[in-house]
Every structure is written in C-alpha cells, then in structure tokens.
Amino acid sequence: MSTTASTKNGTWRNWGGNVSARPAREVTPASVDELAAAVRKAAEDGLKVKAVGTGHSFTAIAATDGLLIRPQLLTGIRNIDREAGTVTVEAGTPLKRLNVALAREGLSLTNMGDIMEQTVSGATSTGTHGTGRDSGSIAAQIKGLELVTADGSVLVCSEKENPEVFAAARIGLGALGIVTAITFAVEPLFLLTAREEPMALDRVIAELDELWAENEHFEFYWFPHTDSTNTKRNNRSAGPEQPVGQLTGWFEDEFLSNGVFQVAQLVGRAAPATIPAIARISSKALSARTYTDIPYKVFTSPRRVRFVEMEYAVPREALAKTLRELKTMVDRSGLRVSFPVEVRTAPADDITLSTASGRDSAYVAVHMFRGTPYQAYFTAAERIFTAHEGRPHWGKVHTRDAEYLAGVYPRFGEFTALRDRLDPERLFQNDYLRRVLG
C-alpha cells in the first residue's frame, strides 16, 4: 500500500483521499537553480506555485491549479557538522531516509512525530510534532533554512542571518517561499526505553501533571465509548538495547495495530452499531510491553489504516477539562467513533505560527476511518477545542479562518507582515492560505 499521495490523469490527491487538485503543470527540479528558474517562469506566466511533499496533510495547504513542484529529486544529506551538532538536508528528503542515514552516522534528532513518511520540508512547514516535556515539534530543532522566494532568489536564514524570516519560516505554511534545504540540530545517537501500558482514563486525567513531569515523552490513546487508554512513556536509557522481537512486533504493530484494526474499521463503517463493542475489545487487545531501541524506532510506528484527522493544540493546563468535555460529548451524542483519540504535549517555543508558540501546549487529535462521515464528530470536537482557545494543526482538518487565528496567535500580524514583504504578489497563495492568513 502506498504511503504517499498520488497523481492520476493530471489530478493530484493527498494521502487521506479528501483533497484533490488539477495543477496546470508539474515540475520535478533536480537542483535549487532549476527550482528557482521554475518559480520565475511561473510568475511570468501568471501561475500560482506550491510545493507538495508526500501529501500527508488533510488540509488543502499544498493544493494548486498552477505550478506543482515535486521535490523528490532534492533529497539527501548535504553536510554534517559534528562540531556544531548539525546536519543540512535537502528539502525533499523523507524523514525515514534522514533517520536511517543519521543512525548510520551515529546521530539522531532529539524528537520526532509518530510517522516518518513525510518529507522534511512538508513535516516542518505544517508544524508536525511528537510529544515531549522539553522538545515537541520537528521545526523547533531547525537551526537554519534555505528558501526560494517569490522573485526567484535564494534566501538563507538562521538565528543570526535574517532572524525575522527564521522566526517565521520554520513553520512557514508554504506561504513565504519554497524551502530547499533545512539545517537541523542533531545529537549523538541514544537509546530510549518505551513503556506502554493500559490505564483508566480517569487515572490518566488525575495524574496528567505527574505523568508529564516524570517522563521525557508521554502520550496516550483514549478509546471512545470506553474508559480505557493505552499510555506510552519514552525515556532515555543507558541500555542495553532490547528491541521488540520480530514476531511480537509483527503481531502487535502489523497484525493488531494495522491488520485487525483495518478489519474492525471496515466492520464499524458498515455497521456503526457494533463500534462501542469493537472499541471495548480493541482497548483490551494491546497488552503492556517495554522495549529499548534507537529513537526513530521508538518514536515512530507504521500507520497503514487510512483516516481523516483533526487536531488542536490547547493550553496544557486546559487539557483535563478538554478531555472530560470530549468524553461527555461522545457519550451523549449518539456518535459512533471507531478511532482512538491521541493526546500529546509540547513545551512553548518561539516560532511565530507554531501551535506551541509562546505557550506550553497539549495536542488532542480526533480521527475517523477514511470513507466514514466525520463532519458531525469533528464539528462537535472543534467547538470544544475552540472554547479553550485551541490552535488547529495546519495540516489537519479544521474550519478556522484568519480572524479566529489572529485571536489565538499573538504574533499573527508579524507573520502576515513578513509575507507581505516576501510575497507581495501572492505567488504562493492558494484557497487554504487565503482562508487562514486573510
């Protein structure tokens, strides 16, 4: 099964299957110069420009009827600076390839999201994040960026060089230019011990502060229609390495989490009345386990069951109330929700439009199986999230506009002013950016 978006008969579709576009033309540049030339030519021809990664966004953030830039030839590591603790990588490099290459060099990112199919530029531009007490988003690990701006010139930025661009472009939504290379902070390869165990939802909510404070990385999944969660704590370890056994790994990660889960979703979609019973069985299927491995093998896992997702960042102190309201809403609504709710955290950062900009944040993600009507559930969940000044993930389903977002992002005006300067003609505009940035 493909893990990326696809193009058929000139129509581009995202991974979730809920967004499609028909670009006027597509290019796959083999160098930054070629990319810059394509941007200049598009501007001359009056075409809007968007770059697409692997299409893992559920929003139309990368959709265009103009020029579609595919970055898959702009891949690989440009430079490793062990003294500075950085690696510079081409924008089209998939996170998976970066992780494997870094591990071979005895290096690792500090934190990651829970999948690694995306390109580095797609993941960072939309604010993809993992969970962490001290580190959250992948973008927060960026030390430098190179981007092609609307006039076709190449702009380099870091904390020292063009710092105001750096503050915004780490999560730039594709609105400021086309990212061509990213410099990440890396550290010597380390081991993480993961401890996964079921826990009652009430207990998790009661102990949220301790669970967050005592673990470098804490997250959990709550199964709607039940009081059950599956918790995961990842902490650094002196070793030894004790990876999940091949058979156990296949059984739990492939068979249960993808195979049986896919069947359960299909049954639930066909007969929604069965969903609460399936949820009770699902929540008990995964038993406690502990394993120790290198970071990307602990942080990420395969996700083969297709879904549509909405995720909001709420202030961390509002998490318990948000979860209680979400549970009450599901219990009273008559909705049938077959997908677990995922909860993660991130510390405040200094990126202009980061979902954790200026505040310690908790992420609550709701999912529905692809092909299942999701609007009623997402609308009800969104009402709860926005009541807590929630900030929607830029790459996941939401209905917010610039007026709302300006109210929950203190530095919103700073971003739009920079965009006016870098892209006055709105070469990188599309319908989604028009809605969220005004």
Side-chain angles (χ1 to χ4, degrees):
M1 182 188 266
S2 162
T3 53
T4 59
S6 59
T7 306
K8 275 187 191 149
N9 316 325
T11 301
W12 173 85
R13 282 189 204 294
N14 68 338
W15 179 86
N18 65 318
V19 177
S20 61
R22 286 187 75 90
R25 63 176 182 242
E26 280 190 34
V27 293
T28 310
S31 68
V32 176
D33 289 345
E34 270 184 38
L35 192 153
V39 167
R40 285 192 294 270
K41 177 87 169 72
E44 281 167 28
D45 298 344
L47 292 177
K48 301 292 188 196
V49 180
K50 295 305 312 170
V52 294
T54 52
H56 272 78
S57 286
F58 299 97
T59 57
I61 191 165
T64 186
D65 56 5
L67 172 67
L68 191 71
I69 295 178
R70 292 186 167 273
Q72 62 255 43
L73 298 180
L74 296 173
T75 60
I77 291 176
R78 271 192 199 178
N79 177 47
I80 293 175
D81 184 336
R82 289 180 188 273
E83 234 164 81
T86 60
V87 58
T88 301
V89 59
E90 304 272 350
T93 310
L95 281 166
K96 187 170 196 169
R97 278 184 57 186
L98 173 62
N99 285 325
V100 171
L102 285 176
R104 268 205 303 265
E105 297 286 342
L107 298 167
S108 175
L109 291 168
T110 298
N111 200 354
M112 274 164 245
D114 56 14
I115 64 166
M116 52 180 180
E117 268 63 50
Q118 318 100 307
T119 60
V120 292
S121 56
T124 53
S125 296
T126 53
T128 297
H129 60 90
T131 190
R133 183 184 59 205
D134 313 305
S135 62
S137 80
I138 302 177
Q141 300 169 69
I142 294 178
K143 291 293 176 197
L145 274 178
E146 174 187 273
L147 64 162
V148 171
T149 55
D151 61 4
S153 61
V154 179
L155 179 77
V156 174
C157 62
S158 65
E159 276 169 11
K160 294 188 179 74
E161 199 175 356
N162 297 307
E164 74 298 342
V165 178
F166 183 66
R170 283 173 286 170
I171 298 180
L173 317 184
L176 305 175
I178 306 288
V179 175
T180 48
I182 300 176
T183 300
F184 289 105
V186 289
E187 55 177 308
L189 195 60
F190 55 95
L191 292 174
L192 283 173
T193 293
R195 183 173 144 207
E196 298 174 11
E197 64 175 331
M199 201 182 279
L201 179 64
D202 285 343
R203 186 182 154 199
V204 174
I205 291 176
E207 296 176 14
L208 274 173
D209 287 341
E210 292 105 283
L211 288 163
W212 175 81
E214 288 166 10
N215 296 286
E216 289 172 72
H217 309 274
F218 174 72
E219 65 186 298
F220 68 94
Y221 292 89
W222 163 57
F223 296 83
H225 312 294
T226 77
D227 296 314
S228 309
T229 76
N230 200 37
T231 62
K232 184 174 180 182
R233 305 159 212 220
N234 300 329
N235 289 289
R236 294 194 182 216
S237 162
E241 241 175 275
Q242 286 179 312
V244 175
Q246 261 186 315
L247 187 61
T248 312
W250 174 83
F251 181 71
E252 294 184 347
D253 297 325
E254 289 298 336
F255 181 70
L256 288 181
S257 299
N258 285 298
V260 173
F261 189 55
Q262 171 92 9
V263 173
Q265 295 298 318
L266 290 165
V267 170
R269 186 168 73 186
T274 62
I275 286 172
I278 291 171
R280 286 192 291 275
I281 297 164
S282 300
S283 69
K284 292 180 171 53
L286 295 168
S287 50
R289 63 176 183 172
T290 302
Y291 51 96
T292 302
D293 214 328
I294 58 175
Y296 80 84
K297 294 185 178 177
V298 173
F299 284 130
T300 67
S301 47
R303 293 265 188 280
R304 303 196 209 290
V305 180
R306 304 262 173 152
F307 53 83
V308 180
E309 179 178 2
M310 168 183 279
E311 181 182 64
Y312 268 75
V314 297
R316 199 169 61 78
E317 62 275 12
L319 177 59
K321 197 165 186 302
T322 304
L323 289 171
R324 285 198 188 96
E325 288 168 7
L326 195 63
K327 183 174 191 311
T328 302
M329 179 273 289
V330 170
D331 290 346
R332 289 182 183 165
S333 65
L335 288 167
R336 293 287 174 257
V337 181
S338 61
F339 238 91
V341 172
E342 183 181 22
V343 181
R344 295 174 288 174
T345 65
D349 64 38
D350 62 350
I351 303 170
T352 317
L353 289 187
S354 163
T355 41
S357 181
R359 73 182 189 196
D360 288 344
S361 299
Y363 295 94
V364 183
V366 296
H367 312 70
M368 275 296 224
F369 184 45
R370 180 172 164 174
T372 310
Y374 60 84
Q375 285 82 356
Y377 176 41
F378 283 14
T379 301
E382 192 170 38
R383 211 170 287 136
I384 293 167
F385 300 147
T386 53
H388 293 289
E389 297 191 346
R391 297 169 178 170
H393 187 301
W394 297 108
K396 295 174 187 177
V397 176
H398 69 93
T399 65
R400 301 297 90 189
D401 60 12
E403 187 187 2
Y404 173 87
L405 295 162
V408 294
Y409 282 98
R411 298 168 66 186
F412 192 81
E414 200 182 306
F415 188 95
T416 52
L418 178 67
R419 183 187 185 212
D420 289 341
R421 196 184 98 206
L422 290 179
D423 186 14
E425 303 293 315
R426 300 291 187 260
L427 182 68
F428 303 117
Q429 174 88 290
N430 64 5
D431 290 343
Y432 178 77
L433 292 183
R434 195 174 291 115
R435 169 165 71 99
V436 298
L437 295 177

